[in-house]
Amino acid sequence: EPEVTQTPSHQVTQMGQEVILRCVPISNHLYFYWYRQILGQKVEFLVSFYNNEISEKSEIFDDQFSVERPDGSNFTLKIRSTKLEDSAMYFCASSEAGGRGDRTEAFFGQGTRLTVV
Amino acid sequence: GNSVTQMEGPVTLSEEAFLTINCTYTATGYPSLFWYVQYPGEGLQLLLKATKADDKGSNKGFEATYRKETTSFHLEKGSVQVSDSAVYFCALRRNSGNTPLVFGKGTRLSVIA
């Protein structure tokens, strides 16, 4: 069964460093998303991406964050200068379509646990 | 704004017990409602969904009914198994365009034999 894969599963980085979290969405999917979950808190939406551009972003997704689809398979989230409060589990998701209907189901990866020290 | 509130965990049950995890929502319009499950070491998986009022979503013995009058989408299962131990997330999504999911905090369920 096709699945969304994320690497690495766990990343430890020093405050102020740049990190890139990587995701390989399901191959025929066109919509891509990043969510995060700070320990003990809600899963929060960060950004959605379609047709090589951001379609929606939350207040969390400030200038420190960027997303890219550098090739036909990867979807990355970059944090330019990490802060302690960026420590969280980051989930990538993809869906075949947007809007309504069965093809809009979002499939999630296993997550990358980012720890900023 | 849109939000989801679900009961605090953890919930610990014996095998074959009845499960209810409460979920209520606040939303403009008529959202679609979802339950996602996260098994240990895995990603979020869609468990069931309902897209309009009075719809019942069901999967793997779990059920939830979209109740517009009480703005609720409670998850139930008649007889839980040890393999149901996981974190359960209630979520909603507006039914217009490509909109993101809004999640609750998650409820950890532990089922003991």
Side-chain angles (χ1 to χ4, degrees), chain B residues 55-100:
Chain B
D55 267 3
K56 179 187 282 189
S58 60
N59 186 25
K60 299 182 182 179
F62 291 89
E63 292 183 342
T65 301
Y66 190 143
R67 301 280 188 210
K68 186 161 82 74
E69 62 277 13
T70 54
T71 61
S72 64
F73 193 56
H74 304 321
L75 182 69
E76 297 181 334
K77 186 173 186 182
S79 175
V80 294
Q81 305 301 312
V82 172
S83 57
D84 293 326
S85 298
V87 181
Y88 292 82
F89 294 89
C90 186
L92 68 81
R93 195 177 71 192
R94 297 193 321 268
N95 277 333
S96 59
N98 176 29
T99 56

Side-chain angles (χ1 to χ4, degrees), chain A residues 8-60:
Chain A
S9 56
H10 190 190
Q11 172 127 20
V12 181
T13 188
Q14 289 200 322
M15 196 166 53
Q17 294 297 302
E18 174 183 286
V19 294
I20 297 176
L21 308 183
R22 301 182 192 279
C23 170
V24 179
I26 294 173
S27 62
N28 65 329
H29 285 188
L30 301 177
Y31 294 81
F32 314 115
Y33 314 85
W34 284 101
Y35 291 81
R36 79 172 186 191
Q37 185 182 27
I38 295 172
L39 189 64
Q41 299 188 24
K42 297 183 181 189
V43 176
E44 301 171 294
F45 167 73
L46 294 179
V47 65
S48 58
F49 191 86
Y50 168 70
N51 199 26
N52 282 319
E53 60 183 27
I54 290 173
S55 47
E56 188 168 346
K57 61 182 180 179
S58 71
E59 292 173 352
I60 304 167

Side-chain angles (χ1 to χ4, degrees), chain A residues 7-8 10-22 34 64-68 76-83 86-88 90 112-117:
Chain A
T7 54
H10 190 190
Q11 172 127 20
V12 181
T13 188
Q14 289 200 322
M15 196 166 53
Q17 294 297 302
E18 174 183 286
V19 294
I20 297 176
L21 308 183
R22 301 182 192 279
W34 284 101
Q64 291 299 310
F65 292 88
S66 62
V67 289
E68 193 178 29
T76 61
L77 174 70
K78 182 193 292 186
I79 308 175
R80 271 184 255 290
S81 176
T82 51
K83 303 188 281 288
D86 293 327
S87 296
Y90 288 79
T112 293
R113 181 167 296 285
L114 176 65
T115 303
V116 182
V117 296

